[in-house]
Amino acid sequence: MKIERIRGGVSLRRTIESGTEEQRRAVLDIIAAVRVRGDAALKEYTERFDGVKLDSLKVTEEEMKRAHAAMDAEMLEIIRQAAANIRDYHKRQKRESWWMTKEDGTILGQKVTPLDAVGLYVPGGTAAYPSSVLMNVIPAQVAGVKRIVITSPPNKDGTLPAGVLAAAYELGVTEIYKVGGAQAIAALAYGTETIRPVDKIFGPGNIYVALAKREVFGHVAIDMIAGPSEIVVLADETARPDEIAADLLSQAEHDVRASAILVTPSMKLALAVASEVERQLETLPRRDIAQAALENYGAIYVTETLEEAVDVVNELAPEHLEVMTAEPLALFGRLRHAGAMFFGRFSSEPVGDYFAGPNHVLPTNGTARFSSGLSVDEFVKKSSVIVYSETALKQHGDKIAAFARLEGLEAHARAIEVRLEKGE
């Protein structure tokens, strides 16, 4: 890894893949076809892109039961424990509707309503993502969403990954479809004969999925357009090089565009970590991916002081931040921007990915400066409630009418005055 002395001015912001014009046209064509031809288009694209000819798009209850029964008992218990931790954490985020009554009899409040239906896209390919099922489904359930739909591209044999089905079965999600790509996003947004539309779409995917989510946004809501994974480790001379290297590689192995950065005031630590990364790379199964990520988006930044290192971290605003210093929590107040913060040597980033409880769906590309990770709030909407009293309207009506006329909206003013018996 390259080592660089730095005083600030660094950024994780990278160009978000917007796709080529050819890819965007292809996505628009797919969306149009699904809107017009429904299930027939979904089956045609599934055969063309996934190599599977399906008679039915929906996963049967029998398929789910088989996948659940085939899951190793010990692994199933781990999933249950992780789910319990995630549910407990997210229950503490839940907001309730509230009301306040003023002395003049006016009632003001906010009504919190769960979304009616949400869709979760689970990527396919060689990997399965049961953790993503837990992280998306559980906050939706805590929020009170009644209909949760999962779509995922099928394997060559027409099945979905057993881990995904087992996790969904554990959570009681039964509406799952063997559909991937842009066509799945179109189906979730507009509906087909088999798949009823949802109100909001969650989950990552390839460039075609990302482009499709952008195109349907506005007709439905989406969670985010996530970029490559990121980790920044803030460490001083007390940290262990082997642990830092392992944590940097835990993100670098995700994707060739993943970012892994160490920020430290210790040149000694920087050199030791660089050496340790090379040593650990030798036996890493996904070595080629991790090495490419480190070469293009990895770095070790050395500052003069720990205070400067904190400033650099805040400028980076990473998806994941690990603090491995002599007194990590002493820096809590100064650290402002990160999707998730991990304090102390035992709080390795994978703890958050799988088991601790907080959500692992987090802002990337420096957007942690202004956005947050997935939470129960993403699965509800809020309505303002106004019950204005006659006393309050008589007291403030003239002011409201005056404000309306300031903006040139006479009808607004008259709508108030007619109730004050001043209108013509």
Side-chain angles (χ1 to χ4, degrees):
M1 294 180 70
K2 59 179 181 286
I3 300 175
E4 180 181 348
R5 286 198 175 273
I6 196 167
R7 295 184 66 88
V10 293
S11 175
L12 272 175
R13 288 182 176 254
R14 292 171 278 169
T15 301
I16 297 289
E17 286 187 286
S18 56
T20 64
E21 184 57 32
E22 182 180 1
Q23 287 172 325
R24 183 170 180 270
R25 284 198 303 270
V27 166
L28 289 173
D29 288 344
I30 290 171
I31 292 173
V34 171
R35 293 187 71 176
V36 173
R37 297 173 48 232
D39 286 355
L42 295 181
K43 291 178 180 179
E44 178 184 307
Y45 288 128
T46 300
E47 186 172 5
R48 184 192 306 180
F49 299 135
D50 302 307
V52 182
K53 188 171 183 177
L54 296 175
D55 294 324
S56 174
L57 299 170
K58 194 173 189 298
V59 173
T60 65
E61 185 179 0
E62 184 59 35
E63 287 177 283
M64 295 190 69
K65 286 181 177 178
R66 279 201 306 268
H68 187 263
M71 174 71 68
D72 176 78
E74 185 176 351
M75 191 65 239
L76 200 57
E77 183 56 32
I78 291 171
I79 288 176
R80 287 171 180 156
Q81 290 179 31
N85 293 340
I86 296 165
R87 192 174 300 277
D88 179 67
Y89 182 88
H90 286 79
K91 278 183 177 179
R92 299 169 194 273
Q93 299 174 340
K94 188 173 181 180
R95 302 189 185 202
E96 303 293 339
S97 299
W98 58 268
W99 307 86
M100 59 176 285
T101 302
K102 294 191 172 185
E103 291 183 2
D104 60 15
T106 294
I107 300 172
L108 301 177
Q110 186 177 74
K111 187 177 190 295
V112 179
T113 307
L115 301 180
D116 288 342
V118 300
L120 166 59
Y121 184 87
V122 179
T126 58
Y129 298 92
S131 63
S132 291
V133 174
L134 301 183
M135 292 292 181
N136 283 270
V137 169
I138 291 173
Q141 291 178 330
V142 170
V145 177
K146 289 185 171 58
R147 179 171 169 251
I148 300 171
V149 184
I150 293 175
T151 67
S152 188
N155 299 318
K156 295 297 183 184
D157 62 359
T159 65
L160 291 188
V164 169
L165 293 182
Y169 189 82
E170 274 290 315
L171 299 177
V173 178
T174 58
E175 191 175 350
I176 306 177
Y177 300 98
K178 304 172 185 178
V179 184
Q183 59 272 24
I185 303 302
L188 289 171
Y190 299 106
T192 69
E193 299 93 326
T194 298
I195 304 175
R196 289 182 292 133
V198 300
D199 299 310
K200 190 169 184 178
I201 300 172
F202 297 80
N206 63 19
I207 185 61
Y208 294 97
V209 170
L211 289 173
K213 286 173 72 175
R214 282 180 172 173
E215 292 298 334
V216 302
F217 176 66
H219 183 81
V220 294
I222 63 172
D223 53 351
M224 65 179 76
I225 304 293
S229 188
E230 306 158 353
I231 186 171
V232 170
V233 178
L234 172 62
D236 62 15
E237 68 282 353
T238 66
R240 289 183 47 164
D242 58 339
E243 294 176 351
I244 294 174
D247 290 352
L248 294 174
L249 289 170
S250 75
Q251 297 309 292
E253 74 171 351
H254 267 298
D255 186 278
V256 294
R257 298 186 71 237
S259 175
I261 294 173
L262 166 65
V263 183
T264 179
S266 171
M267 179 59 78
K268 180 180 179 182
L269 180 68
L271 293 169
V273 169
S275 175
E276 186 64 25
V277 165
E278 292 303 316
R279 186 188 71 80
Q280 292 187 25
L281 264 175
E282 292 294 325
T283 57
L284 197 67
R286 294 170 68 91
R287 173 181 176 175
D288 291 345
I289 293 173
Q291 193 157 27
L294 292 175
E295 288 174 358
N296 293 308
Y297 301 104
I300 298 176
Y301 294 134
V302 181
T303 61
E304 291 294 326
T305 65
L306 184 59
E307 289 72 23
E308 287 181 1
V310 171
D311 291 339
V312 170
V313 167
N314 281 330
E315 186 70 22
L316 289 168
E319 178 186 19
H320 306 101
L321 169 64
E322 290 187 358
V323 184
M324 301 172 71
T325 58
E327 297 182 68
L329 286 175
L331 301 176
F332 181 84
R334 290 197 57 208
L335 292 167
R336 293 179 51 78
H337 305 305
M341 300 180 182
F342 301 76
F343 292 90
R345 58 176 292 225
F346 300 109
S347 304
S348 178
E349 188 278 338
V351 171
D353 267 353
Y354 298 111
F355 203 77
N359 211 286
H360 74 197
V361 180
L362 301 166
T364 60
N365 202 44
T367 60
R369 293 187 64 82
F370 52 79
S371 57
S372 309
L374 189 65
S375 71
V376 173
D377 285 345
E378 297 296 319
F379 295 91
V380 301
K381 63 185 184 67
K382 306 175 186 75
S383 303
S384 300
V385 177
I386 301 168
V387 185
Y388 223 53
S389 68
E390 182 180 1
T391 300
L393 190 65
K394 285 180 176 179
Q395 182 179 355
H396 303 297
D398 289 340
K399 301 169 191 173
I400 298 168
F403 213 140
R405 289 193 172 101
L406 175 65
E407 296 187 348
L409 298 174
E410 180 63 24
H412 280 60
R414 293 182 184 182
I416 297 298
E417 291 174 342
V418 73
R419 287 167 171 80
L420 300 174
E421 299 182 347
K422 292 183 179 180
E424 297 181 0

